[in-house]
Each structure stands twice: as C-alpha cells, then as structure tokens.
C-alpha cells in the first residue's frame, strides 16, 4: 500500500507513465530493439553487399576478391530469419514481464478505491474494459516502442553507411526516411485520431440502433415496428459510412505520399550518384552499393505507420486507466491508527450524513443508530433509500460527510480501515464468487480454517447438503461468477463465508435479493437462526421474519421515517405497514 | 478458413467490383515494379559503362515517371479499398440486422442478440483491414511472383530456377509448421484462457476481498499468475513464431543464393552486368507480397472470421410459417382456442408445452401460475406467434401474423426500452399517436408525476436500454405502451417479479386498470396476482391444470375502487 500511497495525484501523462513502469525490464527491451534493428539491417545489408558483389564481379577480378562478400551475403541470408525470431520472442517476453508489474500496481490502487471509488465503473462492462485496457498495455512495447527504436537504429545505420560513400546522397536518404517513417505516420495518425473523434458519435448511434433492433426484437415484432427499427439502423449507418469516407481520403493520400517519398529518395540518390561517378568523386562499384542500400532502407519505415497507430491506441487506453487511478481516495487513512477496539463491540451513529460525490445528493441524511452487543437491527425501505450506504459507512468503504460514528466510544475514522473490517463484516449486497474451488471461496474468510470448520459454517448456512452432493465436494470448481451454482447456492456460500469470518458485528446486505419466493423464505429462516444472539445489521426489503428482529429502522430517501419493533410498526399506518402489506401475501388479512 | 470466402462475393456484390479493381491495380503495380527494376538496372549499368547523366536522361526521366505512377496507384488502391470496405460493411450490417429480425424473436432471444450486435458493429470493422491490407496483398501475391519470375526467366534462366524452387516451398513449409504446432497450441489455449481471466475475476471481486482483508494477499497471487501466464504464452509463441521464421528465412536465403550464383557467373563473363542487376533488384520483389500477406495474415483472418459469423446468420433459413389463409379474427368477439398444442424448442429434450388445450373467451382474465421453467413464457410466445406449435392446432393459424399481432399488447418481464425519448418508447405500437394521447397513456400508466419532474418531460431521452430509468419506471413505460395501443388482448409476463414490494404494488394497481374491459393472459409465479383473475390456470412441466377461481370476479371490486 505504501508504494501507491506515495503516487502523485496530479494529472499524469499516459505514455511516460507506462514507459516508467517498464524500467525493470529495460535491458530486455533494449535487447529486443537491437535484435529488431539487426533484423532490418541484415535485410538492407543483404541487398547492399549483393550490389557490391555483382558490381565488383562485373570488373572481373579474381575470385578471392569476392570471397568475403559471398560469405557475408550467405550469412545475412540465414541470419535475418533467426534474428527476427529472437526479436519477437524477446519483445513479447519483456512485454509480459511489464504487464505483471503494471497489473499489480493498478490492482493495489484499485484495491484502495474499491468499492466506493469504483462506483462509476459498476455499470455495464466498464470494469471489463478497464481490465482489457490494462492487458493491452503490453502492445505498446511489442508493436509500439520496439519497432520505432529498431527502425531508428537501422535507418540511422543505413544513412551512416551511405555517408561513407557519398555525403549528399546520405542527406537525401535521411530526409526521405524521416518523411516516410516519422512525418507521414505522425500526420496520418493525428488525422486518424481526429477522424475517430468525429465518427465516435456516429459509431455510438449505429451501435445503439443495432442493439435496439436485436435486443428489442421481441417488442418490435409484437408491436409491428420492425421496419421503423431497420430504417433507423440504415439512417445511422449511412451517416457513419459518409463520415468514415472523409477520413479515408486523408489516409489514402498518406499512403500515396509515403510511397512517393521512398521512390523519390531512391531516384534522387541515383541521380546524385550518377553525377558523382561522372565527375569522379564516386567509384562505379560504390554507386551500386549506394543505390541498392537506399532502395532497401525503406524496409525500416514499413512498420512505422502501424506503430504510430498502436501508440495512439495505447495512449487512449492508458489515459482511461489513469482516469480511474487518479480518482481521489474515498476513505482517509489515519496517520497513526488508534489501537483496535476489543469486542464486545458497541457501534453508535449520530446524525450521520453520507454522499458518494462531493456536492452530490445525500444518500444518508441524519441517521442515528445504536448497534449494541447481541442486538439484531433491520434496516428496511424501498430501493434507493440509502440502506446499503449505511453498510458502506460501517465497513469504512466510505467516510461520513457529517455526523459521527463511534466504535466503543472512539471515532471510527481513527481506526485503520483494514482493522475495522476485521471486526465488522458479513455479506455484501453483491457477493463475488471467485472462479476457484468451493474450498478456496470459503477459505477467503479464514485462510487457516480446517475442513471441519468449513463444514460447520456450510452446515449453518445450509450449504453442506449441496457440497456433499458434488462428486468433488469442496474441491469442485464453481466457474466464473459461480456459474455452476444456483442463485440460492451462491447466497448461501456468501453467508457461510460470513459465518466463517465470525465478525463481531455482522452486516447482511439484501441476502435474499434476486431469489424466488420459496428460496428466499428458506434462506431468511436459516440466516435468522444462524444470527440468533449475535450483533447483526440486516438490510432488506423482504419483511418476512421481522418478528424476530429487536429494532427495525425504516429508511426513505436517506432519512429515518419510522423505528420500533415489528408488532408496533404494523399496528399503525405508515411506510412500514404499506411495505409489509405489499411484500407478504395475505398480509392484509393477517393485519390487526 | 478460406482466404477469400465466395460467400463474400455472393452476399456483397460491391465486393466483386472491388476484387476486379484490385486485380487491375495489382497488375498495374506489378508492371510498374518491373519497369522500375529495369530502369534502375539500366541506369546503374549505363553509369558503370561510363555514360553520364545527360546520356541517361531519358531513363532517369522515365524512372521519375514510374515512381510518381507507383505513388498514385498506391494511393488509389488505398482509397478504393477503404471506400469498398465501407460499402460492404454497411451493406452486410443492414442485411445482417434485417435477416436477424426476420429469423424472429425466438432466434434473437438471450445471448444471441448481443453476439449478433457485436458482429454487426465491431466485428464488421475488421473488414477494413481485410479489404485495405489483406486482400490487395493476396492479389499481389498471386500476380507479382509469377510476373517477376517470367521476367527473370527471360533474363537469366538459372536465377529463375532458384526462385521457382524456393517460392513454392514457403506456403508448403508454413502449412507444415502450422499443422505441427496447431495441436500443441490448442492444448495450451485452455490453460491460457483460465490464467487470462484471473485478473478480471480478482478485480471484480475486490469489494469481497477487502471485506475479508484479503486484498493485499491477492497482489502477490496476481504477480504469480501473470508470471505463469507469461511462461505458458512464451511456450506457445516459441512454436507459433516458427512459421514466420521459415517465411523470412526462405525468402532472404533465396535472394542470397541468387545474388551469389549470379555474381559468380558474372565473374566468369556468362551474364551481362545489367541482367545481373535486374535479377538482383527483382528477386526480393518475388517474395515481398508473400511476406506481407504473412504479416497481415492474422488481421486478415479476423476479417474473414467476422464475415463468416455474418454469413452464418445470413445463411440461416427463416422459420417456416403456414401460409395465411386470409382469415380474419376479431379478438373483441372471437375466442382464442388452443387444442392439444405441443411446442418443442430445438436442442431441448422435453417439450416446453405438452398437449395444452385452452379456450380464452373475449373479456376473460386468466392468470397462469407456475414455477420458473414450467412453460409460462412459451405459452405467451405461442399467443404472440413467436413460436409455432410442433403438434396440435391453434384457432388463429390462418390469420396473417401482422393482423393477429395488431390486436395484442404485450408487457414482458424485462421490457426493452429503445434509445430514444420516453414518448418514442410509448409510441412503439402506435407511431401516429398525438402528443396528447401519449401524455394520457403515460398518466394512466402512473408516469405523470415522474415525467413532470423531468425538465424535458416526455422528450427526455431514456439512454441505451432505458438505462436512465429505474426498473419500475421501465415497467410503467411498457404499460403506457399497452394503454396507448389499446388492443383487445393484453399479455403480461411476470410484470412485477424483479421490483421491490412497494413499486410492485403500484405496478399491480396499474395492471388492474389496464385489464379493465380487455382479454388478459398474465403468467407469473406470484400468487398475489390471482386477485386479478376470472380463472386461474396452473402450469407445471409444460402441462396445464385448471383450478377454480379464488374469488368470483374480484376485479369488479377493484374497478369500482379505482
């Protein structure tokens, strides 16, 4: 944590940040770039030396005059393929090593932000995209940095070789290489970026229309609106096609100009060379070497337009990563944390207010709550009432915007967040089931738990019959997000995990959400039995079993509107009675 | 995977024009490459023989013209490629969406809608690379080596033979290496996939990890798993890169061989200098297109794969429907009759509905109760004619589908909201409705207060899939659609299953209002809905059992109350 805490929070530049991350493997990257340069140089040298071989042979000297050239040509012919192979392996290996580092650094920062700081990423597949952005950073090295450095080295080498033969021709070659390898790729990638920004909106419109037509197919058929949806797709598509055509002309001009730069350079080198031979400043053999070297040198620039595009792409991805990483900490860590409180635990909330964004709406507004040892409290209310925010506050995932929370009399913010979570735990609203075995998923809560302890916790959460029905028992892999489990089994696994962790204050956030009624009722009964006699905060909008709860606090729009025991609350009109009548079948008949 | 799928030419006619244009431009490019080599050799040999630049003026001028022409043709080819890529992409996208709709909601249901949408958007973008980079190089790879070989053969037969022997070795060796490595690569692939998914799994589970104070411990695991991932990947790459090495090795080695043997024969006076130069300059050109195709192979294959996925959809035959007999039904007076109907879904053993008989009288309110997977939604799909009976008869089989559906309003469990305004969404079943009518429908669906709170009112955009509305509001928009459509038959699928109790209660009241004066079929597992019913039907494992109404026409009381 200390490494990330020291990282500056001002706006960082994406590419330098990534390059700095690659410092530990710079030796390997340099080797990859050298191998890449050697590969290209072998190709250039092959043609240049072959030119020497043939031109010298045309002067009909003895065979010994050619023997070195013959050996060199054969060696370069074999070496090129081998060098390319080594370069690709070295570059990929280095890139993967950087990725390991980058992943850990980003993970540590995300761990600090989670979960409140990651709220903006929770919708849709933004988190998936962040992870794929992280994974694509390796392309920067393989396709972006290594080819550019290799091209610069090989191109520079070719210019230097030509400078020995004819300085003005080397100058022309340098200009040509810069134009074809640096100027034009930079221009075309800038224009591609601008075009990408222009077409982003049209692209989004096409995507939205296509998704509407396909995901809404049933509605379109039922309401006879297929033709309207197809017309909308066609319209958005025509707009996108027209816009991308404008960018295509620039791209085509860039390709033509790059080809022209290469051709003109060779032509000019030849022109200078012929004139130099004429006035005797250049031999007729070096003329062939010079021309063929210039001809082959443009192999160095061939990979650069792709590299420029890669650099732009990685920059965009790295900028998105930095947007997340540079978000402010949702929770302030105390410089010198107070010593952890001893259980039994008394938690008091006084006039607590909370919001997720500075200046944003209050999710909790003026909450008073006492959680004393052995007491079970339920927090109920409609969706969006602020129930889960209370859980986030108690777990130190979020700092209060006002009021005070105390733990055995000491302000909660005086403790280190990790210490707090050793005492206050439970089931989050959306428990994550890891793509691992049942045992690994349970042991998360207590890494040193024995199989007997795992079985005991599973039994109390009534997960044991399911585990025993599995051929591999605790060693069964549950799949990504627990895909091989039912919704009820996933909830029970989360409950077993919470029981295994055995926190002094147990928070259960919507333990029965998304379950069908019989499954929910059975689970509620089990968790009420399992939490009997222990400090519990139950967050729910399912009101079955509320008779057993010591205090019920009814939240609406962040404020407490009612509190008391179940029997008192249903005896008088109010939100609780309405909720109860709505959620429990035949509640009306049962109401006094 | 074929490098050029004939279906591309069949489904997208502009692709044929493009292919013809590419062959033409490829031929011109090849001609210019040959001319450039000949002129270079001529000028170099002329200077070698002591001729000055004034004597070589014509050749130098011609070379300049060839250089300019190559640049022009290159630019033209690029422009044509991007132009036709856009045309084909747009054509395939529209055909794909239209055909997917023709295949019916049963086909697009579930994950497939998302898959096809991905193919139709990002997937088809891969065609850009295919058209602009891969296909032209493929054409050149067919034309240039043969033309170059012919010219070299005309100049020096022995060099031509060296090239003619090595050139075919490239595809042969690449196929051999590919075949040898495929089995190995596939074995590693599954392991790679699991290791690759680990990071995402851990990041998604961060709140849970923090809850149990395990977040820091996982940082080490990430480093370890990434290291393992690297080692496995490098094992795969060491083999996978071999084919690229063979390609490079053969092409440069062949050039070296040509250079050495032509040089040695030049020494003996068997070959003129200009011929030797021509052979040397041309030899790499014989291999260049093959190397470029090799380098673009993966990007090109992505385009082919995207196109293949599109063709899979386009070549799926639309469902057969019995020819409509032109009969008309008026659901205001005609009953709906199902007799011994069985519905089987392909790829499923058990029928979704089995020997179901049901008569729905006009104005009757039927609640179908049953657990999930019992066949409730299939029953609604049958009434909506999203599926056809596999056996048995339905009374409406002769009615044209469009005329039949025009008499139905449907409120699904998770209504799809289209990325437009609230008003657009309510208008779905009646595009010509006036703003006043839309407003009234919204009010009857209980949306009045919510719409009044929005600065743009009914013209507020709902976002993709209605993301800016809560699930209760989305359900009310679906109800407003049904109010506006004002159809005699209303079909509802679990209208409150995923709503919190308070919201669900409000929506239930609204459904009671909608049901007034209409025929209603509502499927649910929630017994509180039986208050709405004239008749309760139970469904279990695809079979119907009638049960008596809980109370005689209880909705009458509700109607009076509302």
């Amino acid at each position: 944590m200390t490494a990330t805490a020291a990282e500056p929070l001002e706006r960082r530049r994406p590419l330098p940040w990534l390059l700095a991350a690659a410092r530990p493997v710079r030796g390997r990257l340099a080797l990859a770039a050298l191998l890449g340069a050697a590969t290209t140089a072998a190709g250039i040298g092959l043609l240049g030396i072959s030119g020497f071989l043939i031109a010298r042979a045309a002067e009909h000297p003895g065979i010994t005059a050619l023997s070195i050239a013959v050996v060199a040509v054969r060696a370069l012919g074999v070496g090129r393929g081998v060098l390319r192979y080594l370069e690709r392996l070295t570059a990929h290996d280095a890139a993967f090593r950087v990725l390991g580092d980058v992943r850990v650094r980003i993970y540590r920062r995300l761990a600090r932000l989670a979960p409140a700081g990651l709220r903006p990423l929770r919708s849709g597949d933004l988190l998936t995209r962040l992870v794929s952005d992280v994974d694509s950073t390796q392309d920067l090295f393989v396709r972006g940095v290594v080819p550019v450095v290799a091209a610069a080295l090989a191109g520079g080498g070719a210019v230097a070789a030509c400078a020995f033969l004819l300085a003005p021709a080397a100058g022309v070659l340098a200009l040509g290489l810069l134009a074809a390898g640096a100027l034009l790729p930079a221009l075309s990638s800038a224009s591609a970026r601008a075009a990408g920004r222009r077409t982003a909106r049209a692209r989004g419109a096409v995507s939205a229309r296509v998704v509407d037509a396909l995901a809404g197919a049933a509605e379109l058929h039922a309401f006879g609106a297929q033709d309207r949806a197809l017309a909308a797709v066609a319209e958005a598509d025509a707009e996108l096609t027209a816009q991308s055509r404008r960018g295509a002309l620039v791209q085509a001009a860039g390709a033509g100009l790059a080809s022209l730069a290469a051709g003109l350079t060779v032509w000019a080198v030849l022109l200078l060379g012929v004139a130099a031979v004429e006035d005797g400043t250049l031999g007729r053999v070096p003329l062939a070497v010079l021309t063929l070297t210039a001809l082959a040198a443009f192999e160095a620039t061939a990979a650069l337009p792709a590299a420029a595009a890669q650099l732009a792409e990685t920059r965009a991805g790295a900028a998105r990563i930095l947007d997340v990483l540079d978000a402010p900490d949702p929770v302030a860590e105390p410089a010198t944390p107070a010593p952890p409180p001893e259980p039994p635990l008394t938690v008091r909330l006084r006039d607590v207010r909370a919001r997720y964004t500075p200046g944003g709406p209050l999710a909790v507004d003026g909450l008073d709550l006492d959680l004393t040892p052995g007491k079970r409290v339920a927090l109920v209310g409609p969706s969006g009432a602020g129930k889960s925010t209370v859980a986030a506050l108690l777990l130190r995932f979020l700092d209060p915007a006002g009021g005070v929370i105390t733990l055995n009399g000491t302000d909660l913010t005086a403790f280190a967040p990790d210490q707090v979570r050793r005492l206050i735990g439970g089931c989050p609203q959306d428990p994550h089931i890891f793509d691992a075995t049942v045992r690994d998923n349970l042991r998360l809560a207590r890494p040193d738990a024995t199989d007997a302890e795992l079985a005991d916790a599973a039994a109390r959460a009534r997960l044991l019959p399911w585990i025993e029905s599995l051929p591999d028992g605790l060693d069964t892999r549950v799949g990504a997000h627990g895909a091989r489990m039912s919704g009820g089994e996933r909830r029970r696994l989360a409950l077993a995990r919470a029981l295994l962790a055995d926190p002094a204050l147990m928070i259960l956030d919507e333990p029965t959400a998304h379950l069908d009624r019989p499954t929910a009722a059975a689970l509620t009964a089990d968790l009420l039995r399992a939490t009997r006699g222990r400090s519990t905060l139950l967050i729910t909008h399912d009101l079955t079993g509320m008779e057993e709860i010591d205090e019920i606090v009814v939240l609406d729009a962040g404020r407490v509107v009612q509190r008391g025991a179940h029997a008192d609350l249903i005896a008088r009109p109010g939100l609780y009675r309405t909720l109860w009548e709505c959620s429990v079948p035949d509640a009306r008949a049962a109401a006094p | 995977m074929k490098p050029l799928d004939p279906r591309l030419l069949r489904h997208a006619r502009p692709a044929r024009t493009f292919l013809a244009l590419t062959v033409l431009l490829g031929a011109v490019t090849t001609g210019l490459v040959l001319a450039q080599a000949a002129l270079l050799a001529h000028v170099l040999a002329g200077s070698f023989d002591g001729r000055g630049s004034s004597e070589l003026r014509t050749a130098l001028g011609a070379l300049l013209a060839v250089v300019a022409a190559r640049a022009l043709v290159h630019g033209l080819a690029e422009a044509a490629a991007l132009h036709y890529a856009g045309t084909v992409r747009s054509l395939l996208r529209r055909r794909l969406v239209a055909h997917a709709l023709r295949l019916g909601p049963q086909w697009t249901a579930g994950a497939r809608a998302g898959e096809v949408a991905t193919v139709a958007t990002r997937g088809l973008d891969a065609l850009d690379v295919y058209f602009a980079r891969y296909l032209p190089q493929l054409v050149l790879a067919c034309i240039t080596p043969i033309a170059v070989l012919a010219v070299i053969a005309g100049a020096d037969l022995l060099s031509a033979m060296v090239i003619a022997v090595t050139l075919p070795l490239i595809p042969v060796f690449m196929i051999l290496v590919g075949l040898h490595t495929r089995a190995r690569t596939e074995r590693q692939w599954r392991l790679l996939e699991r290791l690759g998914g680990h990071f995402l799994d851990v990041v998604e589970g961060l709140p849970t990890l923090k809850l149990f104070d395990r977040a820091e411990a996982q940082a080490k695991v990430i480093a370890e798993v990434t290291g393992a991932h690297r080692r496995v990947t490098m094992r795969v790459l060491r083999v996978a890169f071999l084919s690229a090495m063979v390609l490079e090795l053969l092409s440069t080695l062949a050039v070296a061989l040509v250079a050495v043997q032509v040089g040695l024969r030049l020494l003996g006076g068997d070959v003129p200098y200009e011929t030797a130069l021509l052979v040397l300059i041309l030899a790499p050109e014989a291999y260049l297109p093959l190397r470029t195709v090799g380098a673009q192979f993966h990007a090109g294959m992505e385009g082919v794969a995207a196109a293949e996925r599109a063709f899979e959809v386009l070549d799926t035959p639309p469902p057969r429907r019995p020819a409509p007999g032109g009969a008309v039904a008026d659901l205001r007076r005609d009953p709906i009759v199902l007799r011994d109907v069985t519905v089987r879904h392909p790829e499923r053993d058990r029928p979704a509905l089995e020997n179901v008989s049901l008569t729905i009288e006009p104005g009757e309110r039927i609640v179908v109760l049953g657990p999930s997977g019992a066949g409730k939604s299939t029953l609604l799909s049958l009434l909506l004619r999203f599926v056809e009976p596999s056996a048995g008869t339905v009374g409406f089989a002769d009615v044209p589908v469009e005329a039949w559906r025009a008499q139905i309003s449907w409120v699904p469990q998770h209504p799809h909201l289209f990325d437009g305004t609230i008003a657009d969404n309510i208008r779905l079943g009646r595009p010509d409705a006036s703003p006043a009518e839309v407003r009234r429908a919204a009010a009857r669906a209980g949306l009045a207060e919510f719409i009044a709170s929005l600065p743009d009112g009914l013209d507020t955009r709902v976002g993709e899939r209605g993301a800016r509305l809560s699930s209760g509001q989305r359900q009310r928009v679906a109800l407003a659609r049904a109010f506006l459509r004002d159809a005699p038959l209303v079909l509802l699928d679990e209208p409150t299953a995923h709503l919190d109790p308070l919201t669900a209660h409000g929506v239930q009241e609204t459904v009671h209002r909608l049901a007034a004066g209409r025929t209603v079929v509502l499927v649910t597992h929630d017994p509180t809905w039986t208050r709405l019913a004239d008749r309760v039907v139970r469904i279990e494992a695809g079979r119907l059992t009638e049960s008596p109404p809980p109370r005689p026409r209880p909705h009458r009381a509700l109607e009076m109350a509302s």
Side-chain angles (χ1 to χ4, degrees):
Chain A
M1 281 288 157
T2 44
T4 48
E7 271 180 284
L9 290 184
E10 81 261 19
R11 201 80 196 134
R12 288 176 290 185
R13 291 173 59 220
L15 287 185
W17 170 72
L18 262 181
L19 289 175
R23 205 167 293 148
V25 296
R26 60 191 158 184
R28 284 166 198 274
L29 283 173
L31 179 63
L34 278 179
L35 285 167
T39 308
T40 310
I44 302 172
L46 175 64
L47 209 59
I49 297 175
S50 298
F52 169 80
L53 177 69
I54 286 173
R56 188 75 182 94
E59 293 181 330
H60 305 293
I63 182 98
T64 44
L66 295 178
S67 54
I68 293 177
V70 167
V71 171
V73 165
R74 282 181 181 151
L76 290 173
V78 177
R80 195 189 138 85
V82 178
L83 285 168
R84 167 69 74 218
Y85 180 74
L86 292 176
E87 179 246 326
R88 292 180 75 181
L89 281 183
T90 316
H92 278 88
D93 183 67
F96 276 120
R97 284 173 197 271
V98 181
L99 178 64
D101 245 44
V102 169
R103 273 184 175 170
V104 170
R105 285 172 58 156
I106 289 171
Y107 171 80
R108 287 217 161 102
R109 180 68 196 144
L110 291 177
R112 223 173 139 75
L113 291 171
L118 298 182
R119 267 171 79 90
L121 295 180
R122 224 171 41 186
S123 67
D125 53 5
L126 286 178
L127 196 61
T128 314
R129 179 161 115 180
L130 175 75
V131 166
S132 98
D133 278 339
V134 171
D135 288 354
S136 322
T137 53
Q138 54 180 311
D139 293 339
L140 171 71
F141 304 103
V142 176
R143 303 208 180 95
V145 173
V146 168
V148 169
V149 176
L153 289 175
V159 170
C162 290
F164 276 112
L165 303 172
L166 189 66
V172 168
L173 180 61
L175 284 178
L177 286 173
L178 279 177
L183 186 64
L184 287 169
L187 284 179
S188 84
S189 117
S191 105
R193 245 199 334 274
R197 274 197 296 273
R198 275 201 309 276
T199 54
R201 183 185 272 274
R203 209 170 273 280
V206 166
S207 167
R209 298 283 165 261
V210 168
V211 167
D212 270 350
L214 295 170
E219 267 91 346
L220 295 175
H221 280 278
F223 290 92
Q226 303 99 309
D227 292 345
R228 266 180 286 148
L230 287 180
V233 169
E235 193 189 333
D237 178 75
E239 172 67 24
L240 175 63
T241 306
Q243 286 202 14
S244 47
R245 285 219 168 118
R246 258 168 261 156
L249 280 180
V250 180
Q251 215 177 316
L257 285 175
S259 167
L260 190 65
L264 272 184
T265 304
V266 174
W267 182 79
V269 166
L270 183 65
L271 194 66
L272 288 170
V274 168
V277 171
E278 209 174 351
D279 59 28
T281 46
L282 186 71
R284 47 189 195 164
V285 174
L287 172 66
V289 178
L290 181 71
T291 312
L292 289 175
T293 302
L295 187 64
F298 281 89
E299 191 196 309
T301 63
L304 292 179
Q310 184 61 54
L311 286 175
E313 206 171 294
T314 314
R315 183 189 290 129
R320 285 195 292 267
I321 295 173
L322 285 180
D323 276 346
V324 177
L325 298 193
D326 290 351
D329 279 357
V331 179
E333 295 243 6
T336 44
E342 292 292 321
L345 217 56
T346 300
V347 182
R348 292 186 203 283
L349 288 83
R350 287 293 172 269
D351 193 28
V352 167
R353 289 180 298 276
R355 47 169 59 107
Y356 285 99
T357 47
L362 282 172
V364 170
D365 188 2
L367 175 68
D368 293 326
L369 192 64
D370 286 337
L371 300 158
T372 49
K375 182 174 155 190
R376 290 195 290 182
V377 176
L379 213 50
V380 304
S383 314
K387 304 190 294 290
S388 295
T389 309
V390 177
L393 288 168
L394 290 173
L395 291 166
R396 282 223 68 195
F397 285 158
L398 188 67
D399 278 342
V404 66
I405 304 175
T406 59
L407 219 65
N408 289 356
T410 310
D411 194 322
L412 185 69
T413 53
F415 300 107
D418 291 341
Q419 277 175 2
V420 171
R421 285 191 288 269
R422 255 166 248 156
L423 294 161
I424 304 178
C427 271
Q429 186 173 14
D430 192 10
H432 187 80
I433 308 294
F434 291 88
D435 184 5
T437 63
V438 176
R439 187 198 312 278
D440 292 341
N441 266 295
L442 285 173
R443 272 222 185 131
L444 198 67
R446 190 134 56 88
D448 56 352
T450 63
D451 275 11
E453 287 168 321
L454 297 184
D456 175 58
R460 278 185 290 155
R462 267 217 241 173
L463 186 69
L464 199 56
W466 174 72
I467 296 176
E468 283 170 345
S469 76
L470 297 167
D472 294 332
L474 282 169
D475 293 317
T476 309
R477 292 191 72 91
V478 295
H481 295 265
R484 279 170 226 145
M485 310 170 75
S486 74
E489 285 152 8
R490 282 195 285 266
R491 293 276 160 186
R492 286 181 189 279
L493 176 63
L495 179 63
R497 209 149 61 180
L499 292 171
L500 201 59
D502 195 24
L505 170 62
M506 174 89 87
I507 300 178
L508 302 169
D509 194 352
E510 300 278 12
T512 59
H514 310 297
L515 297 182
D516 63 55
R517 206 178 278 270
T519 315
L523 182 59
T524 303
D526 289 339
L527 66 88
L528 284 172
R529 193 170 36 74
T531 57
R532 207 162 286 155
R534 62 167 62 238
S535 311
T536 307
L537 179 66
L538 173 63
I539 294 173
T540 184
H541 61 234
D542 176 10
L543 302 188
T544 43
M546 283 297 127
E547 307 80 14
E548 290 195 38
I549 298 294
D550 299 309
E551 187 188 12
I552 297 165
V553 178
V554 187
L555 276 185
D556 191 20
R559 295 178 154 276
V560 178
V561 290
Q562 280 180 297
R563 63 200 315 159
H566 175 75
D568 303 332
L569 287 172
I570 56 167
R572 48 181 201 257
L575 181 58
Y576 187 80
R577 192 157 95 182
T578 316
L579 283 171
W580 191 60
E581 284 171 354
C582 294
S583 71
V584 181
D586 302 319
R588 265 175 238 234
Chain B
M1 244 185 267
K2 293 172 202 150
L4 178 62
D5 197 320
R7 287 179 294 180
L8 187 61
L9 304 181
R10 182 154 51 85
H11 283 293
R13 280 179 164 277
R16 298 184 195 188
T17 321
F18 174 63
L19 191 63
L21 195 61
T22 303
V23 170
L24 179 72
L25 288 173
V28 174
T29 304
T30 304
L32 290 170
V33 166
L34 293 173
Q36 181 176 328
L39 287 166
L40 263 177
H42 181 71
V43 173
L44 284 175
S47 177
F48 190 88
D49 292 341
R51 266 174 278 166
S53 34
S54 51
E55 285 166 85
L56 294 167
R57 201 170 37 207
T58 324
L60 280 168
L63 186 60
L64 187 62
V66 167
V67 162
R70 268 190 85 171
L72 187 67
V73 170
H74 191 175
L76 275 180
E78 184 90 3
L82 292 172
H83 180 89
Y84 280 97
T87 308
V88 170
R89 198 174 46 204
S90 153
L91 188 82
L92 283 180
R93 178 176 294 144
R94 279 180 292 160
R95 288 226 176 127
L96 191 61
V97 176
H99 193 78
L101 269 184
R102 208 170 301 134
L103 291 173
Q106 210 68 27
W107 189 86
T108 37
R112 204 181 259 151
E115 286 163 25
V116 177
T118 308
V119 172
T121 51
R122 269 174 294 158
L124 289 179
D125 285 348
L127 282 178
D128 266 2
V129 178
Y130 178 77
F131 276 99
R133 303 273 166 273
Y134 183 72
L135 203 54
Q137 289 302 332
L138 193 67
V139 167
L140 282 181
C142 298
I143 301 175
T144 312
I146 294 170
V148 167
L149 199 58
V151 170
I152 292 182
D156 180 45
L157 209 55
L158 208 58
S159 300
M161 277 168 66
V162 173
I163 295 173
V165 169
T166 50
L167 206 53
L169 282 181
I170 290 179
V172 169
F173 268 98
M174 284 188 77
I175 288 167
L176 282 178
V177 172
L179 285 179
H180 175 71
T181 56
R182 190 164 61 192
R184 272 191 75 155
T185 315
E186 271 170 14
R187 242 178 300 144
Q188 308 270 25
W189 196 246
R190 235 169 300 138
L191 181 58
L192 272 183
E193 237 168 47
R194 215 178 70 207
L195 292 173
H198 175 260
F199 185 52
L200 177 62
D201 192 33
V202 171
V203 169
E204 282 179 335
L206 258 175
T208 301
L209 289 171
K210 277 186 89 169
L211 194 62
F212 297 111
D213 193 21
R214 303 292 299 158
E216 185 50 34
Q218 282 295 320
K220 221 177 99 212
V221 178
I222 289 174
E224 281 165 15
V225 169
T226 310
H229 188 235
R230 174 177 60 81
R231 282 187 292 277
V232 177
T233 310
M234 290 312 293
R235 273 209 292 281
V236 172
L237 291 183
R238 269 199 285 278
V239 180
F241 287 161
L242 278 179
S243 69
M245 185 172 85
V246 166
L247 177 64
E248 292 271 354
L249 201 63
L250 280 175
S251 57
T252 45
L253 193 59
V255 173
L257 287 178
V258 167
V260 169
Q261 63 84 15
V262 87
L264 293 180
R265 284 190 297 130
L266 183 61
L267 194 62
D270 300 339
V271 193
Y273 179 50
E274 187 174 337
T275 305
L277 272 176
L278 177 69
V279 169
L280 178 64
I281 295 170
L282 275 184
E285 299 287 351
Y287 300 93
L288 187 63
L290 270 177
R291 277 166 52 192
T292 318
V293 167
Q296 300 290 347
F297 183 74
H298 286 287
M301 283 303 111
E302 260 174 49
V304 173
E308 273 188 0
R309 282 193 294 274
F311 299 142
E312 255 167 52
V313 177
L314 288 173
D315 291 341
T316 309
R320 249 171 230 275
R321 229 190 263 287
V328 280
D330 183 350
L331 289 179
R332 276 168 229 283
R333 44 182 180 73
D334 300 335
I336 303 166
V337 183
L338 311 179
R339 201 168 297 126
D340 293 327
V341 172
T342 297
V343 174
R344 285 175 195 283
H345 290 307
E347 298 141 33
R348 227 129 348 116
D349 302 339
R350 239 164 25 86
L353 287 179
E354 201 171 359
N355 292 326
V356 166
S357 295
L358 183 67
T359 303
I360 305 163
E361 297 294 338
E364 196 178 20
R365 281 147 231 210
I366 298 184
V367 169
V368 181
L369 274 181
S372 27
K376 301 192 298 284
S377 297
T378 307
L379 181 65
L380 289 194
S381 294
L382 185 71
L383 293 172
L384 280 161
R385 304 190 64 183
F386 289 173
V387 292
E388 294 290 327
S390 320
T393 52
V394 291
F396 45 81
D398 280 352
V399 184
V401 172
E402 303 299 325
W404 173 257
R405 287 184 187 150
Q407 302 181 64
I408 301 178
S409 286
W410 177 48
V411 182
Q413 183 175 4
H414 296 285
H416 181 88
L417 260 59
F418 296 84
D419 184 14
T421 65
I422 297 177
D424 293 341
N425 270 289
I426 295 175
R427 269 201 194 99
L428 183 67
R430 259 189 61 201
D432 54 345
S434 72
E437 287 172 307
V438 173
R439 195 163 291 281
R440 197 158 29 199
R444 294 178 73 189
L447 280 168
E449 202 183 320
F450 168 63
I451 288 170
S453 77
L454 298 168
D456 293 333
L458 275 169
D459 295 324
T460 306
R461 296 190 68 89
V462 298
E464 224 169 293
R465 292 171 191 253
R468 277 175 225 148
L469 304 192
S470 73
S471 46
Q473 286 156 352
R474 285 199 288 272
Q475 208 63 3
R476 288 187 184 282
V477 169
L479 289 168
R481 274 177 192 162
F483 275 113
L484 184 65
R485 187 154 168 97
D486 199 18
L489 173 61
V490 181
L491 305 177
L492 301 109
D493 191 352
E494 299 277 19
T496 56
H498 54 290
L499 304 179
D500 76 68
L502 199 64
T503 313
H505 185 72
V507 168
Q508 217 171 46
E509 301 279 320
T510 308
V511 170
H512 280 266
R513 278 203 299 278
L514 175 65
R518 300 176 215 272
T519 315
V520 173
V521 179
L522 186 150
V523 304
T524 182
H525 68 247
D526 179 357
T528 59
W529 277 107
T530 50
R531 271 183 288 162
L532 178 81
D534 295 331
R535 185 145 65 105
V536 176
V537 174
R538 288 184 193 277
I539 189 163
E540 192 113 25
R543 290 169 173 278
L544 282 192
T545 47
E546 297 258 343
S547 55
R551 277 167 279 180
R553 299 192 75 86
H555 59 274
R556 294 267 180 255
L558 270 164
E559 265 167 43
M560 278 183 272
S562 60

